[in-house]
Structure formats: structure tokens, C-alpha cells
Amino acid sequence: MNTPEISTDKSRLNIDFIFSFLSTSYWASERSLEQVKSSIDNSLCFGLYQGTAQIGFARIITDQVVCSYLMDVFIDPKHQNKSYGKFLMEEIYKHPTLRNVKTHYLITKDAQNFYKNFGFNTYPTPDRFMLRINF
């Protein structure tokens, strides 16, 4: 694996690349470009780069103490199956902002086995987990 670079510098993020991927994802296809920009502005973001080209992304919402919520994780399909997703996840949870956070959340439809490699488990009592969605 040719190790890529990870940066939390938002000025390096390729917003068009991120929006292009998210607009075809099952979880974010209805977000507008303006909504994607706003979500980036209000999150801790991780760009994954091969040279100057962005090849992956993840963002986290956190209070830096009690909880964090991992969202919008992806690797460009042209760069998948090279362990870049694993590298990105390992580096995210080494970040100083997240080291002391007690509980980390995520929601996934199809990647439970991948996230279990990083200490995530399915929620043991779904009846306690509540969600409010504004339409």
C-alpha cells in the first residue's frame, strides 16, 4: 500500500469531489451542495489524499467529551480494496479531539463488519435509541 496522507485542514477538501460522491450514496443523495458545505463547516473533517488528489473523506460531529458521531465515510471507488478505509479509521480515532470521548456513534446499512474492526458494535438495546428526523 502506498500510504496516503490524512489532513483535517478544511481548505484542502475538494468539495466537488465530496458532493459528487455523496450525491450518489444511499445515505446522502438528497443533500444539496449548500447542505454538504454547511455540514463540513460544522464538523471535524478528515480528507484522505494521494499526492494532491483527494481519495477519501470522513466527518465527525462531537462535543469532544461525551459523544461523537461518525458520518459520510467513503473511499473513492478507484482506490478501494487497498486498506485505505482501514488506515482512515485508525487515524481518525488517534486524533487528539477524539481521544477522551466516551461514546462514539455511527449508523450504517451495510458496513457493520467493517466497523466492528474498530471497536464498534451493534447497539444492544435498540428500544433505547431514539431518532427524530425533520422532513
Side-chain angles (χ1 to χ4, degrees):
M1 171 175 86
N2 187 5
T3 305
E5 175 190 2
I6 294 175
S7 174
T8 57
D9 179 355
K10 291 181 187 178
S11 69
R12 291 186 65 188
L13 293 173
N14 181 334
I15 304 299
D16 292 333
F17 166 76
I18 295 166
F19 177 71
S20 176
F21 185 91
L22 292 178
S23 68
T24 62
S25 71
Y26 72 81
W27 69 88
S29 62
E30 294 183 13
R31 287 187 213 157
S32 68
L33 178 58
E34 292 74 27
Q35 289 171 323
V36 169
K37 288 178 182 178
S38 181
S39 69
I40 288 169
D41 288 342
N42 294 292
S43 301
L44 173 62
C45 297
F46 295 82
L48 182 69
Y49 303 91
Q50 193 72 319
T52 59
Q54 187 171 353
I55 62 170
F57 178 75
R59 69 184 184 91
I60 294 197
I61 301 168
T62 184
D63 64 9
Q64 301 182 26
V65 177
V66 178
C67 65
S68 76
Y69 181 33
L70 177 66
M71 305 178 73
D72 298 338
V73 179
F74 71 88
I75 304 296
D76 185 325
K78 295 179 284 190
H79 296 276
Q80 290 178 1
N81 301 311
K82 299 178 184 176
S83 298
Y84 292 159
K86 178 181 177 191
F87 174 69
L88 179 59
M89 288 297 298
E90 289 170 348
E91 294 302 309
I92 285 172
Y93 289 103
K94 290 179 187 176
H95 193 275
T97 299
L98 302 172
R99 282 191 193 134
N100 297 317
V101 175
K102 179 177 168 80
T103 306
H104 302 275
Y105 300 94
L106 66 81
I107 297 174
T108 184
K109 182 171 119 179
D110 57 1
Q112 290 84 354
N113 288 335
F114 173 75
Y115 290 112
K116 283 181 180 181
N117 293 313
F118 308 100
F120 284 90
N121 293 295
T122 54
Y123 202 77
T125 55
D127 58 319
R128 293 179 62 190
F129 189 78
M130 297 179 74
L131 183 64
R132 175 183 166 175
I133 300 175
N134 292 328
F135 293 97

